[in-house]
Amino acid sequence: MEAKRTALYPEHLARGAKMVPFAGYEMPIQYDSLKEEALSVRRDCGVFDVGHMGEFLVRGPDATAFVDHLICNDFASPDVGRALYSPLLREDGTIIDDLIAYKMGAQRILICVNAANTQKDWEWMRSKQGPFNISLEDKSISFSLLALQGPRSSAVMEKMGLLSPEDPLPFFGVAEFKWRGEDVIVARTGYTGEDGFEIFSTDSSAKSLWENLLEEGVRPCGLGARDVLRIEAGLPLYGQDLRDDLTPYDSGIGWTVKMEKQSFIGQEALRNLSPQYRSLKLTLPKGIPRHGHEIFDESGHLVGRVSSGTMSVILGKGIAMAHVKRGTVESKKFLVKIRNKYYDAFVHKGSFVPRGAKK
């Protein structure tokens, strides 16, 4: 099957980006230096083309009730103009995907899902539409999506007229603006741990937004830097840290499960579940951990695997997110096997890099 391309594909080629297949698309992995791209986001501002993501629109009198039933986090409570992160679960409590739902109105909700899971998520949501008085539309081909991230991002957005200094968007807030006559949706969300914004727009608006951002000195960044940044921030990736065979309690996102809700898909299974794994963060003074590397306790017993790993550009050492079997002796130190050598790995609490200030 031929790979798909986002509206900004020609712009990536013009800037010499290295393109790679990702979730059925040809996407920029980096432009020049992955390290410098990541540092730009931490210290200044960077922009990512994430137009491969999937978007669904839920409308109707039961829109909020439908989304609240679909996900385990509490979507009923947030006001209009707020967004919410949550996994999407099966009846047995395992994770189909993770998503962000944006409450655009009492009867209009935008849902953004991972590119690799768009069709799977769409079919699942359609199958659960049943008694709810809603319409459900797959708008994925109608939206482009840019992620502007970094400490200077709010200043850039204000200059472009996409953020009001008198009424700044709160963290996980969402609002609608006009950009050169066309509607855009702006959310104060992101996947880097820094303050930042995600901008949903038409393809033509995405091109003019991209050009304007670069004129403001924003650095274009690839998915390689995005992956390093999200691991430094301790943010999970579906397919690695979150998987089809794991529940939120196995994956370090048990905080999203609101058992006090009246009902949601997977609730009964989770009520009686015994998790299999603990989700840990590890730092390695030497060695670079990668997805799938085996983890051993100090007695040499295999106890888990790295789910995501990289070299932190900020810390200058290896960092990893990992699944370790429950029942393993609580320890502050493990061993990670990298190319038949064993490297010390120490348990780390919280995100590896302090997350940027959010208003």
Side-chain angles (χ1 to χ4, degrees):
M1 183 181 295
E2 187 176 354
K4 293 179 280 188
R5 295 169 176 173
T6 71
L8 295 176
Y9 178 81
E11 311 301 323
H12 303 317
L13 294 186
R15 291 195 160 264
K18 178 183 178 182
M19 307 299 288
V20 298
F22 183 83
Y25 282 78
E26 287 185 74
M27 297 296 292
I29 191 72
Q30 66 186 82
Y31 291 83
D32 39 43
S33 165
L34 183 154
K35 179 178 180 180
E36 289 305 314
E37 290 170 25
L39 288 175
S40 291
V41 173
R42 290 278 180 246
R43 297 170 178 172
D44 183 61
C45 203
V47 62
F48 303 84
D49 174 13
V50 285
H52 59 315
M53 302 289 279
E55 293 89 10
F56 308 140
L57 186 62
V58 185
R59 289 188 286 194
D62 293 341
T64 295
F66 173 67
V67 175
D68 195 49
H69 175 67
L70 275 181
I71 63 177
C72 60
N73 208 341
D74 175 15
F75 191 69
S77 296
D79 294 331
V80 170
R82 301 308 299 261
L84 186 78
Y85 170 81
S86 180
L88 179 70
L89 306 181
R90 300 179 183 83
E91 281 86 354
D92 65 0
T94 56
I95 303 172
I96 298 171
D97 198 5
D98 63 335
L99 56 81
I100 297 180
Y102 305 84
K103 196 174 284 188
M104 308 302 303
Q107 298 188 23
R108 185 165 66 99
I109 295 158
L110 178 66
I111 298 176
C112 185
V113 302
N114 286 300
N117 293 332
T118 300
Q119 188 61 34
K120 177 178 72 170
D121 293 353
W122 172 248
E123 291 172 358
W124 178 260
M125 292 183 191
R126 290 271 321 260
S127 75
K128 301 303 176 185
Q129 190 171 342
F132 294 94
N133 184 8
I134 60 161
S135 66
L136 185 60
E137 299 174 79
D138 184 351
K139 305 291 285 185
S140 302
I141 63 171
S142 303
F143 279 110
S144 280
L145 180 58
L146 296 176
L148 177 68
Q149 300 283 291
R152 192 165 62 92
S153 58
S154 59
V156 172
M157 292 290 282
E158 287 179 11
K159 190 171 182 181
M160 292 173 63
L162 293 175
L163 187 68
S164 168
E166 291 79 28
D167 186 22
L169 214 55
F171 185 47
F172 266 69
V174 60
E176 295 177 90
F177 293 85
K178 288 286 187 182
W179 171 256
R180 298 181 179 175
E182 291 197 40
D183 295 329
V184 299
I185 297 171
V186 174
R188 199 164 199 155
T189 51
Y191 196 44
T192 64
E194 294 297 328
D195 189 17
F197 303 84
E198 292 177 307
I199 310 168
F200 299 85
S201 72
T202 63
D203 288 352
S204 59
S205 290
K207 293 175 184 177
S208 62
L209 284 162
W210 177 268
E211 291 169 0
N212 198 274
L213 287 167
L214 299 194
E215 288 171 4
E216 293 295 332
V218 177
R219 186 170 192 146
C221 301
L223 297 185
R226 190 167 180 253
D227 195 52
V228 171
L229 292 162
R230 67 95 188 167
I231 297 174
E232 287 184 336
L235 300 173
L237 172 67
Y238 189 86
Q240 295 184 189
D241 313 291
L242 311 177
R243 301 199 316 251
D244 270 333
D245 60 325
L246 298 180
T247 73
Y249 295 136
D250 295 301
S251 310
I253 56 170
W255 60 270
T256 63
V257 179
K258 302 299 189 288
M259 293 299 294
E260 67 276 11
K261 281 172 54 171
Q262 185 173 356
S263 69
F264 63 85
I265 298 171
Q267 187 178 38
E268 288 309 308
L270 292 179
R271 200 185 302 279
N272 303 302
L273 183 83
S274 296
Q276 305 172 63
Y277 297 96
R278 288 186 292 139
S279 178
L280 296 180
K281 297 180 182 70
L282 304 171
T283 58
L284 287 72
K286 295 181 179 180
I288 304 175
R290 300 294 186 191
H291 170 68
H293 283 166
E294 294 176 330
I295 299 172
F296 297 82
D297 63 19
E298 293 184 273
S299 298
H301 299 112
L302 178 64
V303 295
R305 291 180 182 273
V306 171
S307 55
S308 290
T310 191
M311 170 63 73
S312 168
V313 298
I314 295 296
L315 301 179
K317 58 184 175 183
I319 57 175
M321 299 163 70
H323 295 130
V324 173
K325 295 175 186 175
R326 287 189 181 264
T328 302
V329 175
E330 296 282 346
S331 174
K332 294 183 179 180
K333 179 182 174 183
F334 292 90
L335 299 168
V336 177
K337 187 178 181 182
I338 305 173
R339 295 192 183 92
N340 294 317
K341 296 180 72 173
Y342 295 85
Y343 294 84
D344 290 341
F346 299 90
V347 174
H348 183 90
K349 300 294 184 182
S351 58
F352 296 104
V353 174
R355 298 189 185 184
K358 311 292 193 300
K359 293 185 180 179

